[in-house]
Amino acid sequence: MQKKQIAINISLVVSILMLIGKTSAYFLTGSAAILSDASESVVHIFVTCVSLLSIRFADKPADARHPYGHGRIVLFSIGIEGLLVFCTAIFILVNGIDALINGSHLQKLDSGLLLIFVLTIINLALGVFLVRVGKKENSPALVANGKHVLADMMTSAVVIVGLTAVWLTGFSILDPIVALMAGTYVLFAGASILREAANLSMDEASTEDTERINLTLDALVKNHTISEYHQLRHRRINNEYWIEVHVLVPKDITISDAHERASLVERQLEQLFPTYRVCVTSHIEPEDHCRIHPEGHRVDPLSNDKK
């Protein structure tokens, strides 16, 4: 929790620095491309504040009203971030079209370019830092914030290349064209963040995780700890991992033995995800379950349902 708080606080401080720096660069140059870059910094400050609050709230322990914890609040944060980035892209595109029609009046490009270059390097370092910490601490909100910073960095890189061409050639029409290119990139970045929020909200199961879980359960079947398994479901919410599975055991063993075998299954699954708070729920059934319940269970094919 402390690492995530430190990371998001750094992001907030840097986002304020970005806004001041890029706004100064815009007033220096009058560039539509730099204005488009600066507009992202405004959004970044707001979404970083939202991420800060969501990270604090998501790590609150479960309570009577929220028995599964508060991790889903990060979906709200990511969704808000994606929506605002998307809206920013629309603003950038409209501003770029206006500059393309009415023309740009550029000045002091050398000073503006130098300032944007320094800020871009800072954003690159920040974005990589946020994504790494977010993945290590299992914080989707922090990862999304880092990806937004990297998208901002890429926008700045496009602006630098475009305005360098304007500075060298004197073709000021390149300025609004660069703004339109930046806006298009931001549009796709916003759509990507929104898609990620949608996938997380629908508990999209990782194919890789499903394979790891199935391999572990198959090994337990092979060494006769359990007879079979089915009804496997799993999902990740923030830094928590939830797994449900039905395990089949010989019908002639004692309840204590069956419980011990189920507990072993749970421990094996917990060890697959050491960086998460893992909650495994197992349901014990006799191995002649198929005869007792011939209809079986209907689940996603990826869950390796065994009837």
Side-chain angles (χ1 to χ4, degrees):
M1 180 61 182
Q2 185 178 8
K3 291 180 180 179
K4 288 186 284 187
Q5 288 291 336
I6 291 173
I8 201 66
N9 285 333
I10 291 174
S11 180
L12 180 59
V13 171
V14 173
S15 66
I16 295 173
L17 174 64
M18 289 295 131
L19 178 59
I20 295 172
K22 291 179 181 180
T23 302
S24 300
Y26 167 69
F27 284 117
L28 273 174
T29 63
S31 167
I34 291 180
L35 177 61
S36 68
D37 199 14
S39 64
E40 268 206 278
S41 297
V42 177
V43 174
H44 187 210
I45 291 176
F46 181 78
V47 299
T48 301
C49 290
V50 173
S51 297
L52 178 62
L53 294 175
S54 71
I55 287 173
R56 287 181 178 176
F57 195 77
D59 278 342
K60 290 179 62 177
D63 54 39
R65 294 184 60 190
H66 307 91
Y68 290 96
H70 302 78
R72 282 193 178 275
I73 189 67
V74 300
L75 305 181
F76 172 77
S77 170
I78 297 172
I80 287 292
E81 181 161 0
L83 181 62
L84 288 174
V85 171
F86 193 86
C87 291
T88 302
I90 301 299
F91 169 78
I92 293 172
L93 291 172
V94 170
N95 183 70
I97 292 172
D98 179 70
L100 188 64
I101 294 173
N102 298 316
S104 298
H105 305 285
L106 304 177
Q107 58 186 358
K108 297 182 180 179
L109 281 182
D110 52 349
S111 301
L113 279 169
L114 178 61
L115 182 54
I116 292 296
F117 177 78
V118 173
L119 295 175
T120 301
I121 298 300
I122 294 174
N123 252 355
L124 173 61
L126 175 66
V128 171
F129 168 72
L130 291 174
V131 171
R132 285 183 177 177
V133 174
K135 289 181 177 180
K136 185 176 180 180
E137 300 297 321
N138 304 314
S139 174
L142 205 55
V143 172
N145 194 259
K147 288 182 177 180
H148 181 195
V149 172
L150 291 176
D152 190 17
M153 182 275 300
M154 287 298 297
T155 304
S156 299
V158 171
V159 169
I160 290 171
V161 173
L163 289 185
T164 299
V166 173
W167 185 37
L168 295 175
T169 64
F171 294 143
S172 60
I173 193 173
L174 291 175
D175 178 52
I177 293 175
V178 170
L180 292 173
M181 292 173 60
T184 302
Y185 176 80
V186 174
L187 190 71
F188 281 102
S192 175
I193 294 174
L194 284 172
R195 183 168 57 250
E196 181 181 359
N199 290 338
L200 288 171
S201 67
M202 292 186 291
D203 292 326
E204 183 181 44
S206 164
T207 304
E208 180 182 348
D209 287 353
T210 301
E211 184 177 353
R212 291 176 64 195
I213 295 172
N214 278 329
L215 285 174
T216 298
L217 292 172
D218 288 341
L220 290 167
V221 172
K222 189 175 181 179
N223 66 20
H224 306 295
T225 299
I226 57 176
S227 302
E228 274 294 351
Y229 66 93
H230 57 210
Q231 194 73 350
L232 170 62
R233 296 178 181 178
H234 58 94
R235 63 179 180 175
R236 285 187 286 183
I237 304 175
N238 202 33
N239 63 339
E240 296 179 329
Y241 211 113
W242 299 80
I243 304 174
E244 300 174 10
V245 64
H246 291 195
V247 294
L248 278 64
V249 298
K251 63 179 181 179
D252 55 351
I253 65 175
T254 65
I255 294 177
S256 296
D257 190 11
H259 177 265
E260 184 176 344
R261 296 184 186 208
S263 297
L264 177 60
V265 170
E266 293 173 1
R267 289 195 298 270
Q268 292 277 334
L269 295 179
E270 287 172 359
Q271 292 171 6
L272 291 177
F273 308 100
T275 60
Y276 286 85
R277 291 201 298 261
V278 183
C279 179
V280 183
T281 302
S282 60
H283 174 64
I284 303 172
E285 296 174 342
E287 62 185 0
D288 58 353
H289 171 271
C290 295
R291 180 177 59 80
I292 299 172
H293 301 290
E295 294 183 358
H297 297 273
R298 293 181 178 274
V299 295
D300 190 301
L302 285 178
S303 69
N304 195 22
D305 182 35
K306 300 190 175 184
K307 299 179 181 180

